[in-house]
Amino acid sequence: MSEETTQGSPAQGAAPGLLAARLAIALAQGLILYATGEAIRAHASIVPGAIRLPLQISAVWHLFALRQMIYLVPLVPILALGALRIRTLAIWTLVAGIGVFGLASHAALRGQSVYAIGALTQFPQVLATASALFITHVLVTSAVIERRPMSSYGLYFEIAWKTATQLALALLFSAVFWAILLLGAELFGTIGIDAPARLIRNPWFYFPAGCLAVAASIHLTDLQPGLLRGARWLVLSLFSWLLPVLDLLVLAFLVTLPFVSLAPLWATHAATLLLLSAGVLTIFLINCSYQDGNVARTTSWPVSAIRILAAWELMPLTGLAGYGLWLRVAQYGWSVERILAGVVLGVMACYALGYAAATVSKPRLKHLEITNLVVAYLTVVLVLCLYSPVADPGRLMVMDQMARLKSGAVTPGTFDFGALKFSGARWGAKALAELVRIPGADDKARVIRQKAAAAMAATSPWQVARTGTAAPSPEAAARNLKAHIDVYPPGRSLPGEFYDQAFWLRMNKSVPVCTTITGADNSAGHCLARFFSPGGDQAEMILFIDAAKTQVFAQAADGHWQIAGEIADWTLHCPGMRRALTRDAPQSQPHALPDLMIDGRRFAITPPTPVPATCPP
């Protein structure tokens, strides 16, 4: 390409070459995603809710950062091919890759908890990174096309909404593409051919295929800029008709507030989120109605009045949201979620002030364009600060919460030590280490040391209550398990693993139900563990009956105990059955029917057994 096009669309004659280039980029993207996925699986064991990382912990973190970069950055050249010169596009893609990889690396390296990597895939961080990349792409592309730092608002609007429409259609195209593949696999499955189903479940297929589908969709929409522009205008016009509906609802809400108390609003515990959502939706619909600014000079005064009313409604919405957030911060201090809400509130305040000023400008609402541009730059800066060491919400939260604890604004009994462990990243871990060693022989220092130590020992956020009550110590948990598990035959004791809470969390993702019932003398408040011999040369096993399930444990070759199977018959919970187990060990019997081997898997044939409606006498 010798020069950039004026509208960011490829020339028709270059379509075959652009298609090949886009598909090549998408294929490389899919293959790299597959390769990084295999590398992560080779170095880490992925379990529900967390990722267990052994030795190569730094390598896995960087693989996750690389993976996020590969998801996002290839969209830059795929979208901009034909609109920018190759050299310019290469430089911009390189800069975008460095920026995304830097933010992703910080998200992966910000803490030592196994949940730290989970932050890499959390919605807020990914959404913020993608949003900043989208905004920067529009700003850079517009500046390069017009060859000046500040482009015309019409070009910003054209590129932004064209890109957003292409991405939305690509998602829809991909969804239908996979629906067709799944339908085809099901059709073949009905006639006993499962090769298509196995194919689309393989990572080496679905990563490249998904990337190729997105690239093909973007290319097809790029060939028809007129149709794309018409579809975009239709969608925005439809959305603009929702602005008066929202105007009336918000106006009625604001008019009603002086006649009622604000207490019901704060009692929802989600008032700030609701008000921010209403403000964001108002801003979106105002821009759907305003579009590129030309419509504002040709529409009638009622349409302009609707936009002006919506712009002024942003002020009280922002004020109420700010007041609600201030109340929560004054009561509980800053959390990661409240810091992010505060950032969104600050951005919305900029929109509210800018739009209010635009309503009194001449021509009316024309300065709305300046507000949109200023907030776009501000958003990129905020994302770079929040998801880098400059203003990481975890670090800011730890600083505020530690200051509140030291000043006495919060008592150790209500302090959320779990937030330091699971939201504070490495700063929270450092703070907990300091609290464990806090000097003093008074009750306050003792409680702080105990709760900090318990929070450090916790393996999941659910082990630490939101009220700040820390998880029990390993010794207390072991005592609780021993008090609620009856072991037979008498005189026997379970292996030490069974008195370790971490063992049960690893096996069943929860502790036995009987250990959570206090003050109960019936069977629901006591588990039953029965040693028995399965016969032959097999080692001794343990039958474990809880209120929720019945499991059989066997000792593995490495000496650790693990679940060998489960018994689904609920009658084992009947008092008569439990009494029988306390007297005699269960006797093993061979299968009445042989097991079947099908495609390498064993299937047991069990004779039909009548299920009694009640416990047998």
Side-chain angles (χ1 to χ4, degrees), residues 91-360:
I91 295 174
W92 163 225
T93 304
L94 178 63
V95 173
I98 294 173
V100 173
F101 183 76
L103 295 181
S105 296
H106 171 71
L109 294 171
R110 61 194 296 271
Q112 300 301 319
S113 168
V114 294
Y115 285 84
I117 284 194
L120 186 64
T121 56
Q122 286 178 354
F123 183 72
Q125 191 265 332
V126 176
L127 177 63
T129 303
S131 301
L133 181 62
F134 174 84
I135 295 171
T136 311
H137 176 73
V138 173
L139 296 174
V140 169
T141 305
S142 302
V144 170
I145 289 176
E146 289 196 349
R147 300 189 178 187
R148 53 176 180 163
M150 303 295 292
S151 303
S152 61
Y153 187 79
L155 184 59
Y156 285 132
F157 172 84
E158 174 71 23
I159 294 178
W161 283 102
K162 175 192 172 185
T163 303
T165 306
Q166 284 183 298
L167 292 175
L169 291 175
L171 289 176
L172 178 61
F173 180 84
S174 299
V176 176
F177 169 75
W178 284 110
I180 292 174
L181 290 185
L182 292 172
L183 175 62
E186 289 296 325
L187 289 175
F188 276 101
T190 59
I191 58 176
I193 301 176
D194 61 348
R198 290 202 306 268
L199 175 66
I200 64 178
R201 286 198 302 264
N202 280 307
W204 59 262
F205 173 80
Y206 61 70
F207 276 125
C211 295
L212 288 172
V214 172
S217 172
I218 292 175
H219 181 78
L220 292 174
T221 56
D222 215 23
L223 293 178
Q224 301 293 336
L227 293 177
L228 192 66
R229 192 176 297 114
R232 182 190 65 221
W233 179 86
L234 178 62
V235 171
L236 294 180
S237 298
L238 286 174
F239 281 153
S240 66
W241 281 94
L242 297 176
L243 182 60
V245 178
L246 182 63
D247 266 359
L248 291 176
L249 289 174
V250 173
L251 181 61
F253 169 75
L254 295 175
V255 170
T256 305
L257 276 182
F259 302 97
V260 297
S261 170
L262 289 176
L265 181 64
W266 308 136
T268 62
H269 301 291
T272 301
L273 178 61
L274 291 173
L275 293 167
L276 289 177
S277 300
V280 170
L281 184 58
T282 301
I283 294 168
F284 172 74
L285 293 180
I286 289 174
N287 282 277
C288 288
S289 177
Y290 186 79
Q291 297 189 26
D292 62 353
N294 291 329
V295 179
R297 293 190 292 271
T298 58
T299 51
S300 58
W301 68 265
V303 177
S304 298
I306 290 173
R307 296 180 193 145
I308 293 172
L309 176 61
W312 278 101
E313 285 176 345
L314 282 174
M315 297 289 285
L317 287 176
T318 304
L320 286 171
Y323 181 58
L325 181 62
W326 177 79
L327 289 177
R328 299 296 288 180
V329 171
Q331 187 175 7
Y332 300 108
W334 288 101
S335 65
V336 172
E337 293 80 8
R338 294 184 195 109
I339 291 173
L340 295 178
V343 172
V344 175
L345 179 65
V347 172
M348 197 168 92
C350 293
Y351 273 116
L353 293 173
Y355 284 11
T359 60
V360 296

Side-chain angles (χ1 to χ4, degrees), residues 393-432:
R395 180 172 66 86
L396 299 179
M397 181 271 293
V398 171
M399 292 172 56
D400 177 72
Q401 293 294 337
M402 290 293 289
R404 283 167 52 84
L405 180 63
K406 293 178 180 178
S407 66
V410 59
T411 63
T414 58
F415 184 75
D416 193 353
F417 291 87
L420 299 183
K421 172 70 179 286
F422 297 105
S423 299
R426 64 172 180 265
W427 304 282
K430 181 180 178 181
L432 284 175

